[in-house]
Amino acid sequence: MATPASIELRFRLPDGNDIGPNNYTEAANVATLKEHVIEQWPKDKENGPKTIKDVKLIYAGHVLENHRTLAESRLPVGDRLAGVVTIHVVLRPPGARINNGDQSIDVEWREGCSCSIL
């Protein structure tokens, strides 16, 4: 039986530091990667992520979806790879909540640009 292909990933944090590189199988899903980023987040940094909803992973300009595996996310796995792949980590801004009377609602991230050009 063939062993599953693996990929060596490094996570680039917003401040330019890296987590990794670590090896993952092609069957690992993106939610698992986010959990590893949260676990390995530098303890001396403020405003670290608390849940996987606080983290977005970006590869080649595409946001990776939680339910997809690395192979489904079109990452170069196995023989197609020569070296370490860098995935960029983007965090939900602290305080991305709306207080609506008695409730506190998380603001959902939107795909695409929300910039205003004047």
Side-chain angles (χ1 to χ4, degrees), residues 2-14:
T3 59
S6 66
I7 183 171
E8 194 170 14
L9 299 177
R10 166 186 15 214
F11 299 96
R12 177 75 35 97
L13 304 180

Side-chain angles (χ1 to χ4, degrees), residues 40-103:
Q40 297 176 11
W41 193 266
K43 303 300 180 217
D44 60 337
K45 299 208 181 293
E46 293 183 21
N47 299 329
K50 305 284 188 266
T51 68
I52 63 171
K53 289 183 177 183
D54 296 337
V55 178
K56 280 194 179 188
L57 300 179
I58 300 175
Y59 173 72
H62 298 283
V63 176
L64 303 181
E65 298 176 26
N66 287 346
H67 64 278
R68 292 186 176 241
T69 65
L70 296 180
E72 293 170 341
S73 298
R74 298 185 180 173
L75 270 78
V77 180
D79 294 337
R80 300 179 293 166
L81 178 64
V84 178
V85 173
T86 300
I87 294 181
H88 294 269
V89 177
V90 178
L91 297 180
R92 177 188 303 247
R97 299 176 73 79
I98 296 175
N99 290 325
N100 186 11
D102 296 334
Q103 298 178 359

